[in-house]
Amino acid sequence: MQELHRLEACSLKGKATLVLTDTHIFLEPDENFRTEVEGALEKGRDAAEKASGIAGWIAEKAVGFATRAVDRYFAPHPLTDVELLFKHDRVVLKLGRTNMGADLQVDPTEAYIFDAKFRDAKEALLTK
């Protein structure tokens, strides 16, 4: 994988970098972002353990689902499975039917460059 471009983004949870390669895209969270997300998951696990009966079981399943979703979110994604939607200074990363990162704020000029490189790389993959 050859890195093509990086796009710095920030949200209420912290900063992250969208990394574009010739075949994949992934979100690289900074330490604050990752700590915030992992802390929220840990609070959910604690609450699920304290809940009893069916409520506890449902809570455990929900936290497990959320944990797997976060792991997938931070993993590399094939460009062919990704859509990027830019709205001036916001970016939405769409993976399949799931919109992720709707609250990521980006520099509009850098987003334009990233979007152009993303489209070129994706088109190159689709025309192979």
Side-chain angles (χ1 to χ4, degrees):
M1 280 190 283
Q2 177 186 354
E3 186 174 310
L4 300 176
H5 201 71
R6 288 176 168 256
L7 179 63
E8 300 296 320
C10 61
S11 74
L12 297 176
K13 296 194 183 321
K15 294 182 180 182
T17 304
L18 279 170
V19 180
L20 175 66
T21 72
D22 53 346
T23 58
H24 289 76
I25 191 169
F26 60 97
L27 185 66
E28 216 173 63
D30 74 355
E31 190 173 327
N32 290 339
F33 195 120
R34 187 172 290 279
T35 301
E36 180 75 24
V37 170
E38 289 172 355
L41 289 171
E42 190 60 37
K43 286 179 186 176
R45 275 188 212 93
D46 291 345
E49 288 176 7
K50 293 175 185 171
S52 62
I54 191 74
W57 180 81
I58 291 170
E60 282 181 32
K61 295 298 178 191
V63 170
F65 177 82
T67 301
R68 288 186 300 279
V70 167
D71 290 344
R72 279 192 315 269
Y73 187 50
F74 291 140
H77 303 283
L79 294 181
T80 53
D81 298 342
V82 175
E83 270 188 73
L84 279 180
L85 308 169
F86 287 99
K87 299 175 184 175
H88 183 61
D89 66 344
R90 304 274 179 194
V91 63
V92 174
L93 180 61
K94 188 174 179 186
L95 309 170
R97 294 176 292 166
T98 306
N99 284 346
M100 307 288 253
D103 295 322
L104 292 177
Q105 187 171 8
V106 296
D107 175 82
T109 304
E110 284 298 313
Y112 179 80
I113 295 167
F114 191 90
D115 185 45
K117 290 184 179 194
F118 169 80
R119 291 180 189 286
D120 288 346
K122 187 171 180 175
E123 185 176 329
L125 284 174
L126 294 174
T127 58
K128 279 187 178 182

